[in-house]
Amino acid sequence: MKTIYDYSYEKMEESMLGEGWKKFRSQQLFQWLYRKRVGSFDEMSDLSNEMRERLKEKYVIDPLRLVKRMVSSDGTVKYLFRLQDGSLAETVLMHYDYGKSVCVTSQIGCNMGCAFCASGLLKKTRDVTSGEMVAQIMYVQRELDKEQERVSHVVIMGTGEPFDNYENVMDFMNTINHDKGLAIGARHITVSTCGIADKIRRFAHENVQYNLAISLHAPNDELRTRLMPINKAYPLGELMDAIREYAGLNNRRITFEYILLKGVNDQPEHATQLAHLIKGLNAYVNLIPYNAVDEHGFKGVSFPQAMAFYDRLCKLNVKCTLRQEHGADIDAACGQLRAKVERGELDDLLG
Ligand code: SAH
């Protein structure tokens, strides 16, 4: 059954009218779902019995069943959920000094095939619906409610390529951002793409304030194609054109993600090429420690090596940050936990 979280505010209004209900019902439903955060239609006491029954026949609220919850030594929480069709999806909660950030899964598996990533070990079986993404946030929010905390930041950096599931991802961001709903600030929501240039162009024209992050990971075509097959379809020239179009239309700083892979993309010339590639853009580079994936054979760099690359970029006037690793001890990197479960390594978890 469809989850009611699938409806953005505007779509909810349309569907209310379609049912012969008044438009303002949408506001009431949003209140119950996102402010009071109820788990059942029966709790929605100001709706008529008839309306509640109809809603119950058509929708579920929470489509997720928790399979496993793991807490890392740094407090990072990883949730493994089973969706209604049996698919598994991972969600991660990270604690920062600026707030609570949730990383959501946007597809079941991924077809992008990046050479270093665990998510691509399992091919995409389907897109995650907007409501299933909303539900991931709501699950964590209901837990945080017990501590009077709130999800303040959202990153779409779990399994999947969000721009390969564009409409659902836009609906998802609009729903959690809506001021009648969770009202998570647009500037606190980040969508990360491996570089589907035509979707970056489309996003550029949406006139929204969400953050855009680009998984770059290599500063030249030869290396990037080796690491990320998407680079064949959209080589760096085309990708950077799309990014410049976005930058021209949006006064937002762009993030470039760059995993440091030992002996692969961590050499001085890579720093130089990177600086040249993004020159003139309002952007910064987020250097990411690599979470080793057993199957792939890449190695991360040591902290001093990462610092050396960081220093080099700084000297080349590139703004950059060195990301802290979160939850490495609980396989918090995209797709790692799910891949193990699907391979049957953690059968005991599933009971
Ligand atoms: N498909 C999207 C979003 C999901 S991946 C994208 O490519 O941006 C989120 C980020 O995690 C990407 O930058 C991705 O390259 C990175 N990543 C993937 N595997 C990783 C690993 N094993 N260690 C560290 N980062 C990883």
Side-chain angles (χ1 to χ4, degrees):
M1 225 190 306
K2 205 173 156 73
T3 162
I4 187 118
Y5 292 140
D6 273 326
Y7 288 93
S8 63
Y9 195 79
E10 290 68 28
K11 287 189 179 156
M12 182 91 84
E13 278 189 336
E14 271 169 41
S15 102
M16 292 292 125
L17 293 175
E19 292 280 349
W21 293 326
K22 296 271 187 312
K23 226 167 141 180
F24 76 89
R25 295 289 184 195
S26 185
Q27 193 166 328
Q28 279 177 316
L29 268 167
F30 255 56
Q31 276 271 338
W32 284 113
L33 292 172
Y34 300 115
R35 294 292 166 90
K36 296 181 183 144
R37 314 202 240 279
V38 297
S40 73
F41 292 109
D42 286 329
E43 290 163 80
M44 301 182 174
S45 52
D46 57 1
L47 305 185
S48 69
N49 264 342
E50 184 239 326
M51 191 173 165
R52 275 184 265 166
E53 288 309 315
R54 284 262 289 288
L55 289 168
K56 267 198 277 187
E57 276 165 27
K58 290 182 103 167
Y59 308 107
V60 294
I61 295 181
D62 187 4
L64 308 176
R65 197 163 60 78
L66 185 70
V67 175
K68 181 75 185 165
R69 182 181 187 281
M70 292 165 101
V71 185
S72 130
S73 52
D74 62 15
T76 300
V77 187
K78 175 128 188 174
Y79 307 83
L80 182 69
F81 294 116
R82 199 174 278 291
L83 305 179
Q84 292 179 99
D85 66 346
S87 303
L88 291 167
E90 296 169 33
T91 305
V92 181
L93 163 66
M94 288 157 291
H95 308 275
Y96 291 99
D97 43 9
Y98 55 75
K100 310 277 179 203
S101 179
V102 175
C103 176
V104 303
T105 284
S106 62
Q107 295 182 314
I108 306 300
C110 184
N111 282 344
M112 298 300 122
C114 298
F116 46 79
C117 178
S119 299
L121 292 172
L122 300 164
K123 287 284 155 248
K124 177 178 95 175
T125 53
R126 71 170 173 90
D127 288 328
V128 173
T129 72
S130 63
E132 288 167 336
M133 287 181 258
V134 172
Q136 295 173 54
I137 304 296
M138 293 307 294
Y139 193 98
V140 177
Q141 182 56 63
R142 275 192 222 100
E143 269 194 13
L144 290 177
D145 281 340
K146 294 173 199 147
E147 306 155 25
Q148 263 114 51
E149 293 280 1
R150 65 183 294 256
V151 175
S152 58
H153 292 69
V154 171
V155 294
I156 310 172
M157 293 190 186
T159 299
E161 168 48 45
F163 279 178
D164 185 37
N165 184 15
Y166 190 91
E167 281 87 6
N168 280 324
V169 165
M170 282 307 295
D171 274 359
F172 161 62
M173 295 196 286
N174 292 338
T175 301
I176 60 170
N177 171 241
H178 202 280
D179 58 2
K180 298 230 165 29
L182 286 174
I184 298 173
R187 286 160 184 255
H188 290 181
I189 300 173
T190 301
V191 59
S192 174
T193 176
C194 64
I196 304 185
D198 57 352
K199 297 292 169 52
I200 294 172
R201 286 212 167 82
R202 183 166 165 194
F203 186 68
H205 291 270
E206 297 277 2
N207 195 21
V208 288
Q209 297 291 309
Y210 308 124
N211 300 308
L212 177 63
I214 309 287
S215 294
L216 193 63
H217 308 322
N220 64 62
D221 275 322
E222 188 259 319
L223 182 56
R224 193 161 194 270
T225 299
R226 195 143 62 80
L227 296 177
M228 304 176 73
I230 190 71
N231 199 64
K232 278 182 235 153
Y234 303 104
L236 280 172
E238 226 175 294
L239 174 60
M240 295 312 294
D241 280 351
I243 291 169
R244 286 181 199 282
E245 182 172 335
Y246 170 87
L249 290 164
N250 299 271
N251 191 20
R252 309 280 301 131
R253 191 158 74 160
I254 298 156
T255 306
F256 287 98
E257 293 157 282
Y258 197 98
I259 305 173
L260 286 166
L261 299 167
K262 191 174 180 168
V264 178
N265 64 357
D266 61 341
Q267 301 302 303
E269 72 260 27
H270 297 126
T272 313
Q273 291 166 5
L274 179 54
H276 184 70
L277 190 70
I278 67 171
K279 202 174 163 137
L281 278 171
N282 177 16
Y284 78 100
V285 174
N286 194 352
L287 297 172
I288 308 175
Y290 183 54
N291 251 310
V293 176
D294 299 345
E295 288 80 350
H296 291 322
F298 289 104
K299 287 196 177 62
V301 301
S302 67
F303 185 70
Q305 285 165 330
M307 276 311 289
F309 198 84
Y310 173 91
D311 284 341
R312 202 158 262 126
L313 284 178
C314 291
K315 286 206 186 84
L316 293 161
N317 290 322
V318 175
K319 290 192 203 77
C320 58
T321 54
L322 196 52
R323 187 191 285 178
Q324 258 182 32
E325 199 168 16
H326 283 260
D329 53 335
I330 54 167
D331 287 329
C334 339
Q336 287 186 324
L337 182 60
R338 178 173 166 255
K340 278 191 184 169
V341 171
E342 297 277 10
R343 286 195 302 263
E345 284 173 31
L346 300 177
D347 277 350
D348 51 317
L349 287 183
L350 302 169

